[in-house]
Amino acid sequence: MYIVQIASECAPVIKAGGLGDVVYGLSRAIEEKGHTVELILPMYDCMRYDHIWGLHDAYRDLWVPWYGGTVHCSVFCGWVHGRLCFFIAPHSQDDYFNRGIYYGASDDNMRFAFFSKAAIEFLLISNKRPDIIHCHDWQTGLIPVLLYEIYQWQGMGNQRICYTIHNFKHQGPAGSEVLRATGLNNEAYYFNLERLQDDHNPFAINAMKGGIVYSNYVNTVSPHHAWEARFSEVGCGLNPTLHRHHYKFGGILNGLDYRIWNPETDDYIPHHYTHETFEYKVKNKTALRQYLLLADSDKPLIAYIGRLDGQKGVHLVHHAMYYALNRGAQFVLLGSATEPSIRDWFAHEKHHQNDNPDCHLELSFNEELSHLIYAGADMMVVPSNYEPCGLTQMISLRYGTVPIVRGVGGLLNTVFDWDYDENRRPEKRNGFVFFQSDREAIESAMGRAFDLWYLNPELFQQLAVQGMQHNYSWQTPAEQYLGVYNFVRHK
Ligand code: ADP
């Protein structure tokens, strides 16, 4: 099969969160099963060019129809750790991808509408006719719309679309100018609740809704989150659309790329280890402490890695820090915030903890450091309000770092409580789970983890080693995606 992935991220060249990891890992896993995979991405000025090999211009003059005129683009091509990627670079005054950021501009809906239009135009003009076009999140939600309303009549009648939703919160609402710009000209037709019109704002179209309505198959990134999206508020208003299209909607758990996330071979950690040589893990804890200038002691080290925003339960992250310190543990946080109030809050906290030898807050995005923390920490807190899949708990498990998570979304599909999970035998359990989003709940789960650490270190180690033996590789999810691709191909 020939598959083209179109997305706004691909790790490690463009990574703001889990989406980047998934796009890369899935592409590699599918290619290794004998299929051809290419990726189309925006050419951001701020991406990690040091992770691209052989970058060259593949298509110098791509003229993308836009508002009745055209925009001149170049398409560059290069390999990102073995994956063939095409990068779209528009030459226009809007400078859509030269902003020093991936997301967060006031015209994001226009930036990614343009990317969507340019990506499909590139497929058309360069005569690429994949069996499957796999789109991700709201940024590419208009591609299925464009394919079925315009491009299928221009020679792309055999292409099929799989659409993966990594986060329902961001849906790409936009005004009618996006329709005019992309050539979806019949406003009244698209401003219809059966098509693109937002269910809550009659004056907006919704890119993610378009992706759901027009794709041949839609999934989110864990089975439990697929259920939540249909039946709870985490569907963020798309519940009726998902109900209408339930026959083509499901959940596929993300995988982890174990060649990147592997404590046996990880280039970013000084001491390699496996579940059989678990005793070497502690040397990474020492290295982490040295790197962050933390005190060397016999205290447990608890970490948080992730975006600092409402989704991630920042109030509970903040509380976890104080609770850990009060229980005599060390606490390390690696996170970045886009919202100014949260950024200021944690900056203030960092300043406050500056001289504390047991606490370090690193307020940046730092891939290399994240590896050292996964390897060096004893426990990882993931107190999310909602979590479509979550990679931090899966990475933690791989590194023998015991996850303490809130039981939502993919966290519930991957972490099984040491004390209370009645559906698993004790040797299959791997962490601690709490359910309410309040301080008492996280304290009780962290308290159980600390009690085990302090009172029964052998059992704590057994739990960590059990976690390392869980298999969350891409093997099974890649097979499931291939099943989906085959299914829609023959429809
Ligand atoms: P989300 O996609 O919602 O951000 P996930 O848990 O699915 O959350 O994926 C987060 C990914 O981003 C993980 O690979 C995690 O290690 C990484 N990550 C998050 N914040 C940072 C950071 N500040 N520095 C380095 N890596 C980070």
Side-chain angles (χ1 to χ4, degrees):
M1 245 184 298
Y2 172 25
I3 299 119
V4 169
Q5 304 275 346
I6 308 182
S8 54
E9 293 181 36
C10 171
V13 64
I14 308 164
K15 173 168 166 176
L19 170 63
D21 290 313
V22 172
V23 168
Y24 180 84
L26 174 63
S27 301
R28 165 137 100 183
I30 287 177
E31 224 175 305
E32 284 175 356
K33 290 185 181 292
H35 304 278
T36 302
V37 181
E38 293 174 350
L39 294 96
I40 304 182
L41 304 158
M43 181 124 175
Y44 302 97
D45 55 352
C46 54
M47 62 188 186
R48 294 276 304 258
Y49 284 83
D50 55 324
H51 285 290
I52 311 175
W53 281 260
L55 189 65
H56 62 281
D57 53 347
Y59 214 86
R60 213 166 274 179
D61 295 313
L62 175 71
W63 296 93
V64 178
W66 192 241
Y67 276 120
T70 51
V71 171
H72 183 208
C73 295
S74 300
V75 182
F76 289 82
C77 169
W79 282 264
V80 173
H81 297 267
R83 310 283 77 69
L84 183 58
C85 297
F86 293 91
F87 297 95
I88 298 201
H91 308 292
S92 79
Q93 285 177 345
D94 293 308
D95 251 354
Y96 283 137
F97 304 119
N98 294 327
R99 307 285 184 84
I101 47 169
Y102 298 138
Y103 313 118
S106 57
D107 59 347
D108 271 4
N109 50 17
M110 271 301 171
R111 296 168 71 217
F112 292 103
F114 181 81
F115 170 62
S116 299
K117 181 76 180 177
I120 195 163
E121 183 72 16
F122 173 57
L123 291 177
L124 178 76
I125 298 297
S126 60
N127 258 324
K128 291 181 182 294
R129 296 293 182 270
D131 300 299
I132 299 294
I133 301 173
H134 191 159
C135 299
H136 300 265
D137 265 352
W138 74 267
Q139 291 88 346
T140 54
L142 288 181
I143 290 176
V145 186
L146 291 165
L147 179 72
Y148 282 104
E149 294 290 359
I150 300 177
Y151 287 79
Q152 73 157 323
W153 313 111
Q154 301 184 353
M156 294 183 67
N158 292 326
Q159 280 51 63
R160 296 289 175 268
I161 300 230
C162 172
Y163 182 56
T164 299
I165 296 174
H166 301 256
N167 196 334
F168 281 93
K169 180 82 184 295
H170 308 288
Q171 300 178 3
S176 57
E177 67 279 6
V178 160
L179 296 176
R180 283 197 301 283
T182 51
L184 296 167
N185 285 325
N186 187 346
E187 223 176 273
Y189 176 75
Y190 296 109
F191 268 89
N192 177 314
L193 286 174
E194 299 288 315
R195 297 195 182 84
L196 269 64
Q197 188 178 31
D198 191 88
D199 287 36
H200 300 282
N201 178 355
F203 304 107
I205 59 148
N206 181 319
M208 184 169 276
K209 182 171 176 179
I212 297 170
V213 171
Y214 281 83
S215 293
N216 301 99
Y217 190 82
V218 184
N219 76 293
T220 186
V221 288
S222 67
H224 189 62
H225 195 60
W227 182 89
E228 289 172 336
R230 278 188 68 191
F231 299 109
S232 81
E233 72 290 347
V234 304
C236 297
L238 285 172
N239 313 51
T241 309
L242 293 173
H243 283 312
R244 263 202 309 284
H245 295 273
H246 70 94
Y247 59 92
K248 60 170 185 180
F249 176 62
I252 299 179
L253 192 69
N254 283 334
L256 257 198
D257 193 327
Y258 281 156
R259 256 162 303 175
I260 294 169
W261 299 108
N262 183 356
E264 201 178 353
T265 52
D266 191 327
D267 286 340
Y268 297 131
I269 66 173
H271 304 282
H272 292 150
Y273 59 99
T274 66
H275 65 93
E276 283 162 347
T277 55
F278 189 79
E279 61 276 16
Y280 295 126
K281 177 174 164 68
V282 71
K283 294 185 177 201
N284 293 297
K285 184 172 175 179
T286 307
L288 176 63
R289 283 171 164 159
Q290 280 167 356
Y291 184 79
L292 298 178
L293 304 177
L294 292 175
D296 205 7
S297 65
D298 55 3
K299 296 179 174 186
L301 197 155
I302 186 156
Y304 171 81
I305 298 177
R307 291 181 292 112
L308 292 170
D309 73 12
Q311 173 191 340
K312 300 293 178 184
V314 275
H315 286 87
L316 290 184
V317 172
H318 184 262
H319 186 68
M321 175 174 79
Y322 279 102
Y323 183 71
L325 295 173
N326 281 340
R327 289 285 314 250
Q330 294 183 316
F331 189 84
V332 169
L333 176 146
L334 171 63
S336 52
T338 45
E339 205 179 291
S341 62
I342 297 178
R343 203 167 42 217
D344 294 348
W345 182 28
F346 277 86
H348 173 80
E349 205 57 60
K350 180 180 170 64
H351 182 71
H352 184 62
Q353 299 291 347
N354 207 21
D355 298 323
N356 188 340
D358 288 327
C359 187
H360 185 95
L361 279 65
E362 188 67 34
L363 303 181
S364 64
F365 193 95
N366 187 330
E367 181 76 25
E368 289 82 351
L369 177 58
S370 76
H371 287 244
L372 184 58
I373 297 175
Y374 284 119
D378 298 298
M379 308 168 210
M380 178 73 63
V381 276
V382 193
S384 305
N385 276 326
Y386 70 95
E387 195 60 77
C389 176
L391 296 180
T392 44
Q393 84 283 9
M394 295 205 277
I395 303 171
S396 300
L397 286 168
R398 189 58 168 179
Y399 283 72
T401 301
V402 173
I404 303 168
V405 309
R406 181 150 177 256
V408 289
L411 297 168
L412 202 61
N413 291 127
T414 49
V415 180
F416 313 112
D417 192 272
W418 173 250
D419 296 306
Y420 298 126
D421 195 318
E422 287 171 355
N423 298 320
R424 319 248 148 197
R425 293 197 308 275
E427 63 274 19
K428 294 286 174 199
R429 300 176 190 171
N430 58 13
F432 295 92
V433 183
F434 62 97
F435 288 92
Q436 304 304 319
S437 61
D438 55 36
R439 293 173 169 200
E440 290 73 24
I442 193 171
E443 278 187 18
S444 101
M446 288 176 72
R448 290 189 288 122
F450 284 137
D451 287 347
L452 194 65
W453 162 276
Y454 286 119
L455 304 177
N456 211 331
E458 284 89 35
L459 267 188
F460 188 91
Q461 175 166 329
Q462 184 188 320
L463 173 61
V465 166
Q466 279 178 204
M468 292 183 82
Q469 289 166 298
H470 279 253
N471 183 355
Y472 291 122
S473 76
W474 271 107
Q475 193 60 24
T476 305
E479 289 292 350
Q480 290 170 328
Y481 276 107
L482 282 169
V484 166
Y485 295 168
N486 266 318
F487 173 70
V488 298
R489 226 175 119 201
H490 297 114
K491 272 197 357 181

